[in-house]
Amino acid sequence: MDEKDEVFELMADSVIVEITDRQSGEVYRRELPIDYYENANFLRLRGENMDGSISQLVFLSARGIERMKDLTGKGPDHDPCGGHSH
């Protein structure tokens, strides 16, 4: 993949979950109406819960956790890219 073809985010309107049942060893696949969004910072799964309201799970990447710490003032006081020091 060329640098110009880099993928920065992934999005889908549904996901396919594949599991192997512990007892039988059978493999099952289900397509689920879950919105999927992923970038370098996090992965988000969003859908409706039992009462029809929106529910979501967000999984932060290591990079996302570091950025969250920086945004909330809990990160180290250093310049990670070396271009902002005086």
Side-chain angles (χ1 to χ4, degrees):
M1 183 180 293
D2 290 340
E3 188 175 316
K4 67 179 179 159
D5 296 331
E6 281 188 60
V7 176
F8 292 102
E9 59 186 1
L10 301 171
M11 295 176 270
D13 296 326
S14 65
V15 298
I16 296 174
V17 175
E18 180 176 289
I19 62 121
T20 303
D21 181 64
R22 281 188 214 145
Q23 291 180 335
S24 67
E26 294 288 324
V27 176
Y28 296 90
R29 290 173 57 106
R30 302 285 187 262
E31 184 172 350
L32 304 173
I34 296 173
D35 289 334
Y36 179 97
Y37 179 83
E38 179 182 358
N39 65 26
N41 299 313
F42 67 89
L43 180 148
R44 181 185 65 216
L45 302 173
R46 184 169 41 196
E48 291 184 2
N49 65 22
M50 296 291 281
D51 68 6
S53 61
I54 297 295
S55 185
Q56 65 182 5
L57 292 171
V58 176
F59 302 91
L60 294 172
S61 66
R63 177 180 171 183
I65 290 171
E66 290 305 312
R67 287 186 172 205
M68 185 66 70
K69 287 179 185 177
D70 288 344
L71 287 172
T72 59
K74 296 183 172 108
D77 289 332
H78 69 81
D79 175 13
C81 64
H84 302 288
S85 300
H86 298 315

